[in-house]
Amino acid sequence: MKSTSEDGDIIDCIDIHKQPAFDHPALKDHKIQMNPTYNIETETKKSETSGDSMLAQTWQRSGSCPKGAIPVRRVHKNDTSKRHSESDYGTKKAMPFHYNRAVNDTLNLLQPNHSLAILHTEGFAYLGAKGDMKVWNPHVESDDEYTTSRVALKSGPIYNYEAMESGWAVNPSVYGDRQTRLFVYWTADGSKTTGCFDLTCPGFVQTSNEIALGAAIYPISNPTGLSYQITIYIHKDLNTSNWWVQYNERTNIGYWPPDLFDGIRYHAETVQWGGEVYSTRVGTHPHTSTGMGSGRFPDPIMQSSGYIKRIRVLQNNLVLMFPKWIYIYADEYNCYQTYYVTDYVPDPEFYYGGPGRSPVCH
């Protein structure tokens, strides 16, 4: 059974027991968990952003999948051709082993070819993280570049980190176009040999028959019109140790089994909220013109930039709370900036983004 979306995507309804996850050697005898075994009490506060209840995925206009099946976006041949090889399709580029930090320190990049503008917390054992993020469709200059806005939980050293991420992305090399799409991502070794976006490799176990990973999100925020946002909540089930992804406080999309990881199977060491741009032309001249957030610098007044609100972490006390310690960080402040607001707002807000190449970013 398949559904052809008006945006060109083909969504196949796959038997939940025959999904790609179970091709992973560690998940050979895995038993599917259909729902989290407990529910951390969530806040009932409604979104302050107009129109967020209208958010959907484009393919849902053309059909749906029955219970017992999951919607899987079909990968087109032209999607994989945008990469150097099919073997690295759906992955992030790993940090090269020979990376000379002394040379690259002048570029102020935490990782080569990646530019971040994030809110960061550490110092505790994190069992979950949550945030409301505004949805935009920033410009991506080249097919081998991408931009994401996400919630990320990480552990381990920078050269060999473990990570789980979810949010929205514009990523031509994975999706074959420049639409804004819902994504999840994971790796157990800094993206050297493990991990991928969505279901493009075995790992993530999907349970929802309503949400297609990698499918386009609509509507998109307009600087002069309505605003739209999504809520992402990643949290650990303490009974099974599965890491669940919840979308818009209503839908449990699926989970990463603990067997995929070493350290993060117990807890995450850091949490990040914000944007990431990948390009071989970050930290160089001329800089890429790929945007982050809306493609505008942080704008807490008109809110025409990327933002994360209702920033929360889950710790051992099992209470969703604002982090006790935070740090704002930008790899290239002239290109992608950050702005943290605590005054005259009911809850701290984080704004981020930028256009990339501009008169102040060459």
Side-chain angles (χ1 to χ4, degrees):
M1 180 178 176
K2 72 176 183 179
S3 175
T4 302
S5 174
E6 61 189 57
D7 63 2
D9 280 355
I10 298 177
I11 306 297
D12 294 302
C13 295
I14 304 295
D15 186 318
I16 192 171
H17 298 284
K18 296 179 180 179
Q19 62 180 291
F22 302 121
D23 292 331
H24 195 289
L27 305 182
K28 183 178 179 181
D29 299 314
H30 182 79
K31 184 178 180 180
I32 298 177
Q33 179 186 1
M34 291 304 298
N35 291 290
T37 57
Y38 73 98
N39 183 27
I40 295 296
E41 180 141 355
T42 57
E43 300 154 291
T44 57
K45 177 182 175 184
K46 296 295 183 182
S47 167
E48 296 175 359
T49 302
S50 60
D52 88 304
S53 61
M54 298 169 59
L55 275 174
Q57 291 189 301
T58 306
W59 77 276
Q60 293 168 338
R61 295 172 174 174
S62 306
S64 60
C65 289
K67 289 186 177 181
I70 62 167
V72 178
R73 179 183 176 272
R74 187 180 298 182
V75 175
H76 299 284
K77 288 184 178 180
N78 64 318
D79 295 350
T80 59
S81 68
K82 293 180 187 298
R83 280 285 190 174
H84 295 297
S85 68
E86 291 192 14
S87 62
D88 64 359
Y89 170 72
T91 67
K92 292 187 179 184
K93 292 289 188 180
M95 179 180 292
F97 182 76
H98 59 275
Y99 179 55
N100 187 336
R101 190 61 186 262
V103 172
N104 286 276
D105 271 347
T106 58
L107 306 180
N108 198 31
L109 295 179
L110 202 59
Q111 286 184 275
N113 303 330
H114 293 259
S115 190
L116 300 175
I118 57 172
L119 185 74
H120 174 98
T121 189
E122 61 181 58
F124 296 89
Y126 300 102
L127 303 177
K130 184 177 182 179
D132 300 336
M133 64 184 72
K134 198 165 185 178
V135 179
W136 295 99
N137 183 243
H139 169 70
V140 172
E141 183 173 357
S142 301
D143 285 346
D144 61 350
E145 300 177 349
Y146 66 75
T147 179
T148 71
S149 291
R150 80 286 193 272
V151 176
L153 294 95
K154 298 185 176 184
S155 287
I158 190 172
Y159 295 97
N160 201 47
Y161 63 89
E162 299 179 343
M164 300 171 292
E165 303 180 10
S166 184
W168 59 261
V170 181
N171 190 337
S173 67
V174 172
Y175 304 119
D177 60 23
R178 284 168 168 74
Q179 295 189 82
T180 300
R181 297 175 177 271
L182 176 70
F183 83 93
V184 299
Y185 187 86
W186 72 278
T187 181
D189 63 357
S191 299
K192 291 195 287 289
T193 62
T194 66
C196 63
F197 284 92
D198 308 331
L199 305 180
T200 56
C201 73
F204 187 83
V205 178
Q206 181 161 337
T207 59
S208 172
N209 67 326
E210 300 175 350
I211 298 297
L213 292 171
I217 300 171
Y218 84 94
I220 302 297
S221 300
N222 186 320
T224 59
L226 290 175
S227 297
Y228 300 93
Q229 67 182 30
I230 60 174
T231 301
I232 296 294
Y233 179 31
I234 303 174
H235 65 96
K236 181 180 178 181
D237 186 317
L238 296 183
N239 291 325
T240 63
S241 294
N242 293 325
W243 285 89
W244 281 87
V245 178
Q246 185 187 82
Y247 178 68
N248 279 356
E249 300 189 293
R250 294 184 295 269
T251 305
N252 294 309
I253 300 176
Y255 58 86
W256 293 281
D259 308 280
L260 300 174
F261 307 103
D262 290 323
I264 212 170
R265 66 185 299 156
Y266 304 108
H267 63 262
E269 296 173 350
T270 67
V271 180
Q272 298 175 355
W273 299 261
E276 175 189 21
V277 166
Y278 171 83
S279 171
T280 56
R281 293 187 297 113
V282 295
T284 64
H285 305 282
H287 196 279
T288 179
S289 64
T290 291
M292 180 191 293
S294 67
R296 300 185 178 194
F297 290 120
D299 176 14
I301 305 301
M302 301 302 295
Q303 302 192 10
S304 64
S305 63
Y307 71 56
I308 309 278
K309 297 183 179 181
R310 281 204 304 158
I311 299 156
R312 299 289 184 268
V313 293
L314 185 68
Q315 296 174 198
N316 286 330
N317 60 4
L318 300 184
V319 175
L320 276 169
M321 56 187 288
F322 187 82
K324 293 183 179 179
W325 179 91
I326 59 97
Y327 174 73
I328 57 174
Y329 173 83
D331 276 310
E332 304 174 285
Y333 199 78
N334 287 337
C335 306
Y336 310 111
Q337 297 180 3
T338 57
Y339 195 92
Y340 181 60
V341 179
T342 57
D343 294 335
Y344 308 109
V345 290
D347 208 64
E349 300 172 354
F350 175 63
Y351 295 82
Y352 62 94
R357 185 169 65 246
S358 71
V360 296
C361 173
H362 308 292

